[in-house]
């Protein structure tokens, strides 16, 4: 019944602390982030990168270099492209001009691109508090974004090591046969519905007691991981990993051809992997906090000027970029 489902959900949240953003700090909290922007070597992605760079330049950021957005708040950014695709002349000129492109192997799928970026983050020669992800068609307000990450670190007791930050949604389960999530919810009623779907859907592999669902995940265009979470993920999905549950997913990603649409979705796939690792995750949830919009709404122009840190599908220059 619904009472038992709600109790189960409450037990999950109690066992997985969730920091509440909005607490006032007496002093700035230092924060450094490596932001990986998921992109491709073709139109309209090249134009998206140009729009996004221009907006960041309006805030004073040169994307090829580390930038101190505010005292103690440092942003580094790279656009992640698939190394298996031959470089076009246009993207080579883009690299020569801006110096902010990063080609990684095994990134021909969206989730694969995220995972190789996570593995790349373990080789960085500089310390960071978090690695973050967004899309090339997202508006990023760097000051607000870093301030909110630092706010989450402060609210979590001064450590972001095991944080999973972003606009949270829920999947009913992971369909291990098709290697994709099943069911979706991003508000309380839909989350309870996801419990029903987990218990009844055949693709949830039998329902009650199955380890892979329901589970939360941060939407890809507004997500960040603490460095210890990133290291554990990198180890679990590396070629020599003995994590039996995830080996099937990795084999699927290796064999899967590139598709126009992400399949599996990178955000729900990443959430599934995190759910399998048994980590002491601290959730930092920006949902319904007027900090992130999935797409343009009537209120978007107002919130762009007041509180939005991230706006997804920001592809109209007049509406979403020029004001910066």
């Amino acid at each position: 019944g619904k009472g038992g489902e709600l109790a189960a959900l409450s037990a999950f949240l109690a066992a997985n602390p969730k920091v509440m953003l909005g607490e006032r700090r007496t002093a700035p909290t230092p924060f450094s982030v490596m932001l990986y922007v998921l992109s491709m070597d073709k139109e309209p992605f090249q134009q998206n990168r140009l729009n996004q760079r221009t907006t960041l330049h309006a805030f004073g950021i040169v994307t090829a270099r580390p930038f101190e957005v505010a005292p103690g708040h440092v942003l580094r950014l790279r656009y992640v492209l698939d190394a298996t695709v031959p470089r076009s002349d246009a993207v080579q000129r883009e690299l020569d001009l801006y110096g902010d492109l990063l080609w990684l192997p095994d990134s021909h799928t969206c989730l694969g691109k995220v995972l190789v970026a996570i593995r790349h983050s373990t080789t960085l020669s500089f310390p960071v508090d978090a690695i973050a992800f967004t899309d090339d068609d997202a508006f990023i307000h760097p000051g607000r974004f870093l301030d909110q990450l630092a706010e989450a670190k402060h609210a979590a007791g001064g450590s972001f090591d095991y944080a999973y930050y972003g606009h949270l949604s829920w999947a009913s389960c992971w369909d291990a046969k098709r290697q994709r999530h099943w069911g979706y919810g991003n508000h309380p009623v839909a989350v309870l519905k996801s419990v029903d779907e987990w218990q009844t859907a055949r693709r949830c592999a039998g329902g009650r007691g199955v380890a892979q669902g329901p589970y939360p995940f941060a939407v890809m265009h507004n997500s960040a991981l603490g460095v210890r979470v990133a290291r554990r993920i990198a180890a679990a999905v590396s070629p020599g990993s003995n994590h039996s549950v995830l080996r099937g997913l990795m084999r699927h990603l290796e064999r899967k051809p590139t598709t126009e649409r992400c399949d599996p979705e990178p955000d729900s796939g990443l959430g599934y992997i995190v759910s399998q690792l048994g980590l002491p995750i601290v959730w930092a949830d920006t949902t319904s906090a007027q900090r992130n919009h999935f797409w343009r709404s009537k209120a978007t122009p107002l919130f762009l000027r007041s509180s939005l840190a991230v706006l997804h599908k920001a592809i109209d220059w007049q509406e979403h970029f020029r004001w910066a």
Side-chain angles (χ1 to χ4, degrees), residues 296-308:
R296 185 179 181 276
S297 70
K298 289 183 179 179
T300 294
L302 172 64
F303 288 125
L304 270 171
R305 290 161 175 79
S306 59
S307 61
L308 278 189

Side-chain angles (χ1 to χ4, degrees), residues 114-125:
V114 170
L115 297 180
V116 295
I118 290 174
R119 292 207 297 267
H120 176 269
S121 75
T122 65
T123 69
L124 297 175
S125 60

Side-chain angles (χ1 to χ4, degrees), residues 274-311:
V274 170
S275 76
Q276 295 299 307
L277 299 182
L279 300 176
I281 296 294
V282 176
W283 301 94
D285 187 9
T286 65
T287 307
S288 303
Q290 299 176 356
R291 300 167 187 245
N292 172 75
H293 278 192
F294 276 92
W295 46 73
R296 185 179 181 276
S297 70
K298 289 183 179 179
T300 294
L302 172 64
F303 288 125
L304 270 171
R305 290 161 175 79
S306 59
S307 61
L308 278 189
V310 179
L311 168 65

